[in-house]
Each structure stands twice: as C-alpha cells, then as structure tokens.
Amino acid sequence: MSLVVTDTLEDERVEFTADGDVTLYVCGLTVSDDPHLGHARLWFHADVLHRWLEHVGYDVRHVENVTDVNEKITARVGERDDWAAERDVAETFTASVFDSMRGLNLKRAEVYPRVTEHVPEIVDLVETLVERGYAYESNGSVYFDVTRFEEYGKLSNQDLENLEAQGEPDERSEKRNPADFALWKADGVSETAAREHAKHDHGAETPDGETWESPWSEGRPGWHVECSAMSTTHLGDTLDIHMGGRDLVFPHHENEIAQSEAATGEAFARHWLHVGLLEMDGEKMSSSIGNFWTVPDALEELGVNVIRTFYAGAAYRSEQALTEETIAEAEERWERLSRTYDRAVEALDSTDARAKAADGDLRDAVEAARDDFAAAMNDDLNLREATAALLDLTDAVNRHVDAVNADGASDGDANSESAYDYRGLREAVEAFEALGGDVLGLQFESPSEGDVDLAGELVELVLDVREAEREAGNYERADELRDALRDVGVEIEDGPDGATYRFE
C-alpha cells in the first residue's frame, strides 16, 4: 500500500509520489521567544513523516528555516542587558529552539537556513518578480500585485474579490490593491510595531531593527518572500512536500505559492500538508495569549517519550487538546510500551530463552503488528492506529512471558514448554525498536542501560553529600565517601570545577 496524505491544495486525500530523493520543507519558527508545545506539534509530525519516508526507502532532504528578522524580535531589544540588537535576541531563542529540538529527539534537518544569511537571494527573487511584472515599487517598498497571478487563492480556496487587506495599515496608501503584500519594506521596524509587540518599556528610543541595501531602498525583507527564497535556494524550484501549521495556509503559504510560481513558472510544491493546532483551555496555544507550555518545561516534567506519545494520539491534520486526561493517556500508553519492552529484553537475554522454543501466537503477533503499523502509517500517517499496533504487540509479549513464568524454570530442557521463544522475542524487540524507536522516535532503554543511568544518578547524589561534608570541614568523612565509591568501581577525580567520576 502506498502512502496516502491529505493534501491541502487538492483538498482531498491523494497518493504521495516522488521521483528519487524527497524534498521536505517545513515552515520554521520566528525566534522571538522560547518554543512551546504548539510549535513542537508541527516538529513532531514533520519528524515522523521524515522517519517514515526513510523507513520505506526514500532519501529525505529536509530543510527547516529560522526566521530571525521580525518586528517581534526587534521589540525585545533592550529587555535584557545582553540584548543590545535584534541579532542578540534572535541568537538567544535560536539556541533555545535547537536545544528543544534535540530534547524532543527530532532528526536533524539537512540545513536550517536563516533569513539574515539569505538576504541576497531574497533581493534577487524580488528583482525577478519586478522584472516579470508581478511586483511594483512604491516609496522604496516593493509589493506583489495579487491581480497579476491568476491562481491567487487556490490554496485557501478564496476568491480575490473577497480577500481582506493584507499588511500594516500604513502600507495601504502605497499599494495598488488592498490584498497586495510586501516583498520589501523600506526603512526599519516602525515605532508603532515595535511598541505593539514589546514586553517591556523601551523608553524614548525604540529599536528599529537591522536593515540591508537593495535596489529600491535600505530596508528589510517581507515575511512571505523569505521562505520562498530559502526553500528554492536549498531544495530547488519545486518541493515534494511543504509542511506547516494550519494557521499559515493564508496568507503566508498562499503568498509563497504566488511569488514562487510567478518567479519560476514551475509548481512550487507537489504536496501541501498542514498540521492542526494544539489547544489548551479551549483556545489555540499561543505565546501572545499566554496559554502555553514551553518545550523545556514540558520535557522536564513529562519527558520526551510521554510528549511524543501524546502527539501520536491525534491525526496531524486535526486539532489536538492538551488536557490532564490526554496527558494521562499518553503516560499510560508509554508505560505499557516501555515496561513490555523491558520484559521482552530481560526474557530474551535470559538463559531460559531457547533456539528451539517456539510460540506461534507471539510470532504471528509480531508480523501482524508490523503489517498493521505499516497500514496505519500509509493511511495518512494514522499514528493513533500505528501506536495501537504496538500496544497489541505488548499484549502478545506479556502473554508469552507470563505463560513461561507460570510454568516455572526450564531445568535446562531445550524443548521445554516453559522456555522463552528466543526468535519470537528477538523479533518483538526489533519491532519495538524499528517502529516505536526509529519511526515514532520513542527512546527505549534496555534494563542494563537504565541501570547505568540510575547508577550515575546515585553517584552524583553521593558526590553532593561528599561536597557538603567538605564544605563543613568534615574531610575525613568526605574521604570515606570517596573510598567507598572507589571500592565499588567508581573513580573520583577532584578538579577546579568540582569532582568528576568514571566507572572502572
């Protein structure tokens, strides 16, 4: 069965097709704040799509932009002593984004292009649109003329006559049509925009952001044109998949299509996939509203596996509610998967796992889980059903292990009915790791790995106690703790930055 996806442009389910490598562009964040779980929902679904495409044999070229030029970023200049310029703010939150991505176990994109390093490409694209008659200059700014692009509105299914005005109110006197949108803006960020988005008092001097030279004026790129320039620079004129949040369909993605196709004469993207919004307290999770949970805070409280299991509980194209009940369900599902994986590994590695022991039901369950998982993933990335396939496998593994445990030890008899089915358990463990781990991005740990992690935590706890004893002047007691750790195979080395340890 081939992969079927819900394509926003076609407004229906379509079969995914690609020639050779798959090019995947994901609309990234404007780095004006720490990322929250609403942002991460898009990341997760793009990550799983990336993983599944690789699982079925495609090479994926994944690009995700960083918007580091924006009035929301400029508005935070001066909020901290080290935020003296727009770039300082952007660098702080770009680092936060990357840390959050790694914490969520996302596969790395091929590249994360930033607006500030692609201004020449943006200017070239705007020049092409002006030369081809799709854009015009007005008072040093450049606007895209939506009436020149006959298919404008095809992504959002809107008629040009019914479109509302785009852009800031001060742009309207410069534009030919209210729906025209800015490709290049003369000067910097307006004082009105900077104060509107500010989270602190700027005082008398309002920051106006960075500007660049262009054929029309010293100014800044428009928001929409940035993605077109960055995506085509790194992935070519036509993308296989363009992915983003549902709230970006209009005007952002509609404008991307218009300016890209007007410039190249080629289809901009073969497939458009949009991820539904995450809701909290009945509203879209949003930094501006204040109803958000940052990724770092959520990782600390829930852990990566519960968060990813939670996201897998709803279709990418639908909205998803973050509630105590949905989190509790994710915790229970992950606990079932993790606990069963540990049981399977322990049984597999025990002396009671035998080459000739065979549990037909277990082996059939592994095959069924793989088939059901693949069918669910190919059915528009139905992650809830894919997860259910793995949960069905946990039932089969637990029945097998419980049955053997109930029969007692095998007493060395390779043909004993109380022996574990080595081959069946190995296939089950590999299914958990390949489907749950490699595709869903869950991080399984074998019991031994978990023991090492726990040992490390205990060593650090002892070191904290030892340091407290040293600070109190109880050096003899501190030395006793060091010697006790050495006796159990932990070598301690004191340095200027504190004590470090290694297992011998």
Side-chain angles (χ1 to χ4, degrees):
M1 177 181 177
S2 300
L3 172 62
V4 172
V5 295
T6 298
D7 190 316
T8 307
L9 183 60
E10 299 296 331
D11 196 24
E12 63 181 357
R13 289 161 54 96
V14 300
E15 183 176 337
F16 172 77
T17 58
D19 298 324
D21 293 354
V22 173
T23 53
L24 168 64
Y25 184 78
V26 180
C27 257
L29 290 188
T30 297
V31 285
S32 60
D33 211 333
D34 289 316
H36 56 62
L37 290 180
H39 302 133
R41 186 168 191 242
L42 169 61
W43 294 347
F44 168 79
H45 285 290
D47 182 62
V48 171
L49 174 61
H50 182 163
R51 290 169 177 271
W52 181 244
L53 289 170
E54 287 188 337
H55 182 81
V56 298
Y58 288 105
D59 290 325
V60 179
R61 298 183 56 209
H62 174 177
V63 170
E64 182 165 344
N65 71 291
V66 175
T67 298
D68 57 350
V69 177
N70 189 270
E71 63 272 12
K72 293 181 180 179
I73 303 173
T74 304
R76 302 199 68 171
V77 171
E79 188 177 327
R80 287 181 5 188
D81 290 342
D82 58 335
W83 289 353
E86 186 175 18
R87 290 194 180 210
D88 300 327
V89 179
E91 284 299 300
T92 296
F93 292 118
T94 299
S96 178
V97 165
F98 289 160
D99 286 346
S100 295
M101 287 179 165
R102 301 290 76 80
L104 289 168
N105 192 31
L106 303 180
K107 291 180 72 69
R108 286 178 173 83
E110 179 177 291
V111 67
Y112 296 97
R114 306 187 190 193
V115 174
T116 51
E117 60 182 345
H118 290 79
V119 174
E121 290 85 355
I122 292 170
V123 170
D124 287 346
L125 176 55
V126 176
E127 283 189 296
T128 297
L129 291 169
V130 172
E131 291 169 359
R132 296 191 175 186
Y134 289 99
Y136 57 92
E137 184 270 340
S138 178
N139 295 332
S141 295
V142 181
Y143 296 94
F144 187 92
D145 186 343
V146 295
T147 65
R148 295 281 295 144
F149 188 71
E150 293 182 357
E151 294 184 294
Y152 192 81
K154 64 181 179 180
L155 183 68
S156 55
N157 292 315
Q158 298 188 78
D159 294 326
L160 189 58
E161 295 78 12
N162 299 324
L163 288 177
E164 297 180 0
Q166 297 190 56
E168 301 296 328
D170 60 358
E171 298 176 358
R172 293 174 186 173
S173 62
E174 298 181 340
K175 298 191 296 187
R176 295 175 182 172
N177 312 290
D180 292 350
F181 57 90
L183 299 171
W184 186 264
K185 286 291 294 177
D187 303 321
V189 175
S190 69
E191 180 176 346
T192 300
R195 293 190 181 280
E196 177 186 352
H197 296 292
K199 298 186 178 183
H200 70 294
D201 185 4
H202 285 299
E205 294 188 12
T206 304
D208 56 5
E210 191 169 357
T211 56
W212 291 265
E213 289 291 339
S214 79
W216 315 283
S217 66
E218 182 171 326
R220 293 160 64 87
W223 174 39
H224 312 296
V225 74
E226 298 164 353
C227 278
S228 290
M230 289 185 285
S231 62
T232 55
T233 295
H234 294 281
L235 296 175
D237 291 345
T238 301
L239 315 170
D240 288 312
I241 303 171
H242 193 304
M243 201 166 184
R246 187 174 300 282
D247 54 340
L248 297 180
V249 172
F250 186 87
H252 186 50
H253 292 162
E254 191 73 69
N255 292 347
E256 279 189 63
I257 290 177
Q259 64 205 10
S260 300
E261 296 186 359
T264 68
E266 304 290 338
F268 180 45
R270 294 186 178 92
H271 300 287
W272 285 87
L273 272 62
H274 285 96
V275 175
L277 304 178
L278 183 64
E279 297 178 343
M280 190 173 184
D281 301 326
E283 292 185 284
K284 167 192 171 183
M285 183 175 287
S286 170
S287 300
S288 59
I289 296 176
N291 64 333
F292 63 92
W293 196 0
T294 67
V295 173
D297 288 347
L299 282 169
E300 182 175 355
E301 182 166 339
L302 300 177
V304 57
N305 291 309
V306 171
I307 294 173
R308 292 188 72 105
T309 305
F310 161 73
Y311 286 136
Y316 72 88
R317 63 190 178 279
S318 67
E319 315 305 308
Q320 186 173 20
L322 180 68
T323 66
E324 292 182 2
E325 291 75 18
T326 54
I327 290 297
E329 179 189 57
E331 290 173 328
E332 187 274 333
R333 287 181 158 217
W334 166 244
E335 176 62 23
R336 282 177 63 189
L337 290 169
S338 177
R339 183 175 62 248
T340 304
Y341 175 82
D342 289 347
R343 294 192 79 197
V345 170
E346 289 175 350
L348 176 63
D349 292 340
S350 76
T351 57
D352 284 330
R354 301 301 176 85
K356 288 189 176 182
D359 182 338
D361 291 340
L362 174 61
R363 298 186 187 190
D364 289 345
V366 174
E367 184 177 356
R370 287 185 176 275
D371 290 344
D372 292 345
F373 187 94
M377 293 298 295
N378 285 329
D379 183 20
D380 204 12
L381 304 176
N382 190 335
L383 299 186
R384 189 170 184 87
E385 287 301 314
T387 305
L390 295 180
L391 292 172
D392 288 342
L393 181 56
T394 67
D395 293 338
V397 169
N398 286 321
R399 282 195 299 270
H400 174 71
V401 174
D402 289 343
V404 174
N405 292 347
D407 287 343
S410 63
D411 297 326
D413 182 0
N415 296 314
S416 170
E417 293 182 357
S418 60
Y420 295 120
D421 178 358
Y422 178 88
R423 187 183 301 275
L425 286 172
R426 179 178 60 80
E427 292 176 352
V429 168
E430 289 175 350
F432 284 129
E433 292 174 343
L435 306 180
D438 295 343
V439 176
L440 297 186
L442 301 174
Q443 295 181 317
F444 291 101
E445 287 184 340
S446 71
S448 60
E449 290 170 338
D451 291 344
V452 170
D453 290 342
L454 177 59
E457 293 176 4
L458 292 174
V459 170
E460 291 175 0
L461 178 61
V462 174
L463 290 179
D464 288 342
V465 174
R466 176 174 176 263
E467 183 61 26
E469 294 288 358
R470 295 178 68 181
E471 291 178 354
N474 300 326
Y475 298 109
E476 184 176 345
R477 177 57 179 158
D479 289 343
E480 290 175 355
L481 290 171
R482 179 199 60 202
D483 294 341
L485 287 172
R486 182 180 296 154
D487 290 343
V488 295
V490 182
E491 185 65 30
I492 305 301
E493 182 175 344
D494 291 310
D497 296 325
T500 59
Y501 69 91
R502 63 182 176 86
F503 294 107
E504 296 181 324

